Amino acid sequence: MQCRGDDPAREDAPVSAASTTALIAVDWGTTALRAYRLTASGDVIETRRSGDGILSVDGAFAAALTRHVEDWTADGAVPVLLSGMIGSRQGWHETPYLTCPCSLQQLADALVPLDHPRLDVRVVPGLADHRDGRDDVMRGEEVQVFGALAEAETGHFLLPGTHSKWVRVRDRRIVEIRTYMTGEIYAACRNHTILGRLMDEGGWCESSFRRGVADGAADGTPGALLGRLFGVRTAGLFDRLAAGELPDYLSGLLIGAELADAAGDGSEPVTIVGDSGLVERYRTAADTLSIACSLGESDASVGAYIAIARMAGLLGQSGSRRGV
Amino acid sequence: MQCRGDDPAREDAPVSAASTTALIAVDWGTTALRAYRLTASGDVIETRRSGDGILSVDGAFAAALTRHVEDWTADGAVPVLLSGMIGSRQGWHETPYLTCPCSLQQLADALVPLDHPRLDVRVVPGLADHRDGRDDVMRGEEVQVFGALAEAETGHFLLPGTHSKWVRVRDRRIVEIRTYMTGEIYAACRNHTILGRLMDEGGWCESSFRRGVADGAADGTPGALLGRLFGVRTAGLFDRLAAGELPDYLSGLLIGAELADAAGDGSEPVTIVGDSGLVERYRTAADTLSIACSLGESDASVGAYIAIARMAGLLGQSGSRRGV
């Protein structure tokens, strides 16, 4: 697999004669997109990343898609699958949420075609969970989860991000979604409250982070977090931590609180899916709290894109190596 | 008692011959100050409020004090007591914290004199609580608490604000301080996260607020709050609440979480001290959660200023009506 920067015209990977492009899949989020050029058996011919998230392209979604992937269709018509916030109200076209529990087949049956002058484009719909009188949603993570699930029947998946998603799978169906605003609250606290004023940029400080994790997980009620946050200020005020250590303490506090709530009694191991710098933070936090976890493959969603395309009849009868 | 706007030159209250000014007390916080002109027996001759908080006067504290209270000293030298963030690192002079447990006498014994060309100025020091390996602090609220305590021996006091303070008193000593960043987190969420983007200004919506209070208090761990916050977004997304109702729901969520954590098992009634619009919100939240509460007198701190001045020997032997 080739990863490269925001330069759709460059091609690093030699395409062999056997590597016919059968599917283009694009994980198109709020601030970035990632495009995969795939063979029918799930081999990745090429990967492209770009900062052209849905908020960056000023509504010109079709043109942006053309720019990033059209050269991949030189050897004929290739279906294009999109997932992520591109299917939201702020994206190209708002697709209705499917409701949990939801299987991969149900996602494949609900693809929404979009108008494009030359490409055959379909969006994978997002999912909603209306359990216990609460509403939760995701767009894009459903593909990553089915990819990370691979051949398994059940799992508990954590997808770190600005909003981290916890997704439970039973009998190969997504049954539960829980979103935590951890990353966005961190940024708001750091940039827009008194806590940030005491902080300096510092290198990664694992001990401060682990201390935060333990403190964030230590208390018994939701409101305790509002008190612990003030503790970031007093830790600075009384020189318990240096200004450069406070950011990681705050990060640990919030991630520790999230983990302790979401992982429950820790009886089910958590699979962390993603490749951002947050993955290592969550792994360290899980270690601090003795929560069993493993890391999912970083490009696992490829298998799910292929499986969805096949279930939707977009790939014909070619063989499957990576399908789930 | 007279209250008036930011106009130190105006005088509304007629001063009788018997009402000799014996003490000037100033609650001088980050964004506002309130000055009291008092007789030795604790009668309020006049009150002045101003937006000249410590962040507004550009370091010219002595001049600001002169401007606001010097005309009250026309009939002779009068001691001036200051309390609040004026004694912080950002204020006129950083005074060391006293440590809990702390009595009113200890506050009186620790007044810190400040240089002023004509006035006899002293600062009431703030308090720190270093219980259970955690640090908490306050400046100014200690006077309000002793004032609200009046003749009682014990109490549990809530002082709403950008940072709300919960203060426990045993045997007429402050033994515990707990700060919650509720108000500041509300502002950060509303103005600097995705939650604010779904909101409209709406009138006060008590039902949305009470629903938020119940939801904020419902969960079992700190991290649950990070999930409940995302629920503000989905409540908008699925039209469970109108855009104009979301601000009060968010406010209720945070205040409910704070109350459920801070009030503990609710066995000790809470006295809410202050006169901001937040007091009514907290009272409504306490009612929603069946937490017993009462409202303290809004100018209760006057009695504590008089008592501190007397204990510090600043008032001579004149009679006490309002002292605590």
Side-chain angles (χ1 to χ4, degrees):
Chain A
M1 186 180 100
Q2 297 290 319
C3 293
R4 53 185 213 178
D6 197 346
D7 180 1
R10 230 176 100 222
E11 292 208 8
D12 295 324
V15 179
S16 76
S19 298
T20 308
T21 305
L23 178 69
I24 294 168
V26 183
D27 181 355
W28 202 339
T30 304
T31 60
L33 70 76
R34 185 182 306 194
Y36 300 95
R37 181 182 186 180
L38 306 172
T39 68
S41 57
D43 286 319
V44 178
I45 304 170
E46 191 180 349
T47 304
R48 289 176 179 171
R49 297 176 196 228
S50 160
D52 278 352
I54 63 166
L55 298 182
S56 310
V57 299
D58 202 23
F61 300 107
L65 185 66
T66 302
R67 196 163 63 243
H68 286 292
V69 308
E70 194 180 29
D71 63 305
W72 283 350
T73 64
D75 39 346
V78 178
V80 181
L81 277 188
L82 309 182
S83 65
M85 291 298 281
I86 190 68
S88 71
R89 203 169 299 176
Q90 295 77 39
W92 190 337
H93 176 82
E94 186 175 8
T95 61
Y97 292 106
L98 298 191
T99 304
C100 291
C102 180
S103 66
L104 196 60
Q105 182 70 56
Q106 286 171 295
L107 285 177
D109 292 344
L111 298 182
V112 177
L114 295 187
D115 281 338
H116 188 284
R118 289 177 301 279
L119 300 174
D120 171 15
V121 185
R122 293 149 207 249
V123 180
V124 182
L127 282 190
D129 174 10
H130 301 293
R131 230 169 355 97
D132 307 331
R134 296 172 66 168
D135 304 300
D136 215 320
V137 294
M138 62 183 176
R139 288 192 186 273
E141 292 88 354
E142 65 287 343
V143 175
Q144 296 176 265
V145 165
F146 277 117
L149 183 67
E151 305 298 327
E153 298 281 321
T154 68
H156 196 194
F157 298 91
L158 158 60
L159 299 94
T162 305
H163 296 174
S164 57
K165 304 283 180 184
W166 290 73
V167 182
R168 224 179 266 276
V169 176
R170 294 284 178 270
D171 302 325
R172 299 189 63 71
R173 299 195 303 173
I174 291 175
V175 297
E176 185 183 300
I177 306 166
R178 298 172 74 184
T179 304
Y180 292 78
M181 286 187 62
T182 311
E184 194 169 8
I185 296 299
Y186 173 83
C189 284
R190 172 127 195 213
N191 299 323
H192 301 290
T193 73
I194 198 170
L195 302 183
R197 278 183 243 157
L198 292 168
M199 294 181 180
D200 278 345
E201 292 296 334
W204 161 243
C205 179
E206 184 172 327
S207 63
S208 302
F209 179 78
R210 285 184 183 265
R211 182 167 161 181
V213 168
D215 286 350
D219 303 302
T221 84
L225 191 59
L226 298 168
R228 286 285 181 185
L229 288 173
F230 190 70
V232 180
R233 175 163 163 73
T234 56
L237 209 53
F238 291 101
D239 294 324
R240 312 288 187 199
L241 292 170
E245 295 170 331
L246 290 173
D248 285 325
Y249 178 71
L250 172 62
S251 169
L253 206 55
L254 293 167
I255 288 176
E258 175 192 335
L259 266 177
D261 189 67
D265 62 4
S267 61
E268 183 174 23
V270 177
T271 304
I272 307 178
V273 180
D275 58 3
S276 73
L278 285 173
V279 168
E280 188 52 28
R281 282 185 183 257
Y282 276 88
R283 202 202 55 73
T284 302
D287 178 69
T288 304
L289 300 177
S290 301
I291 293 169
C293 77
S294 60
L295 303 189
E297 274 188 71
S298 70
D299 66 341
S301 52
V302 163
Y305 284 122
I306 288 289
I308 290 171
R310 189 179 314 112
M311 288 172 176
L314 303 176
L315 292 188
Q317 297 304 315
S318 48
S320 159
R321 191 176 68 77
R322 296 273 317 252
V324 295
Chain B
M1 186 181 101
Q2 297 289 319
C3 294
R4 54 184 214 178
D6 197 348
D7 181 2
R10 230 175 100 221
E11 293 208 8
D12 295 324
V15 180
S16 75
S19 299
T20 308
T21 306
L23 179 68
I24 294 167
V26 183
D27 181 355
W28 203 339
T30 305
T31 59
L33 71 76
R34 185 183 306 196
Y36 300 94
R37 181 182 186 180
L38 306 173
T39 69
S41 57
D43 286 318
V44 179
I45 304 169
E46 191 179 349
T47 304
R48 289 176 180 170
R49 296 175 195 232
S50 160
D52 278 353
I54 64 166
L55 298 182
S56 311
V57 300
D58 202 23
F61 300 108
L65 186 66
T66 302
R67 197 163 63 244
H68 285 291
V69 307
E70 194 179 28
D71 63 305
W72 284 350
T73 65
D75 39 347
V78 178
V80 181
L81 277 188
L82 310 181
S83 66
M85 291 297 281
I86 190 67
S88 71
R89 202 170 299 175
Q90 296 77 38
W92 190 338
H93 177 82
E94 185 175 9
T95 61
Y97 293 106
L98 298 191
T99 304
C100 292
C102 180
S103 67
L104 197 59
Q105 182 70 57
Q106 286 171 294
L107 285 177
D109 291 345
L111 298 182
V112 177
L114 297 186
D115 283 338
H116 188 284
R118 289 178 302 279
L119 300 175
D120 171 16
V121 185
R122 293 149 207 249
V123 180
V124 183
L127 283 191
D129 175 9
H130 302 293
R131 231 170 352 100
D132 307 331
R134 296 173 66 168
D135 304 300
D136 216 319
V137 294
M138 61 184 177
R139 288 193 187 273
E141 292 89 353
E142 64 288 343
V143 176
Q144 295 176 264
V145 165
F146 277 118
L149 184 67
E151 305 298 328
E153 299 281 320
T154 68
H156 196 195
F157 298 91
L158 159 60
L159 299 94
T162 305
H163 295 174
S164 57
K165 304 283 181 185
W166 290 72
V167 182
R168 223 179 267 276
V169 177
R170 294 284 178 269
D171 302 325
R172 299 189 63 72
R173 299 195 302 173
I174 291 175
V175 296
E176 184 184 300
I177 306 167
R178 298 172 75 184
T179 304
Y180 293 78
M181 286 186 62
T182 311
E184 195 170 7
I185 296 300
Y186 173 82
C189 284
R190 172 128 196 212
N191 300 322
H192 301 290
T193 73
I194 198 170
L195 301 183
R197 279 183 243 156
L198 292 167
M199 294 180 182
D200 279 344
E201 291 297 334
W204 162 243
C205 178
E206 184 172 326
S207 62
S208 302
F209 179 77
R210 285 185 184 264
R211 182 167 160 181
V213 168
D215 286 349
D219 303 301
T221 84
L225 190 59
L226 299 168
R228 286 286 182 185
L229 288 173
F230 189 71
V232 180
R233 175 164 163 73
T234 56
L237 209 54
F238 291 102
D239 294 324
R240 312 288 187 199
L241 292 170
E245 295 171 330
L246 289 173
D248 285 324
Y249 178 72
L250 173 61
S251 168
L253 205 56
L254 293 168
I255 289 177
E258 176 192 335
L259 266 177
D261 189 66
D265 62 4
S267 61
E268 185 173 23
V270 177
T271 304
I272 307 178
V273 180
D275 59 4
S276 73
L278 285 173
V279 169
E280 187 53 28
R281 282 185 183 257
Y282 276 88
R283 202 201 56 72
T284 302
D287 178 69
T288 305
L289 299 177
S290 301
I291 294 168
C293 77
S294 60
L295 303 189
E297 273 188 71
S298 70
D299 67 342
S301 53
V302 163
Y305 285 122
I306 289 289
I308 290 170
R310 189 179 313 113
M311 289 171 174
L314 303 176
L315 292 188
Q317 297 304 316
S318 48
S320 160
R321 191 175 67 78
R322 296 274 313 253
V324 295

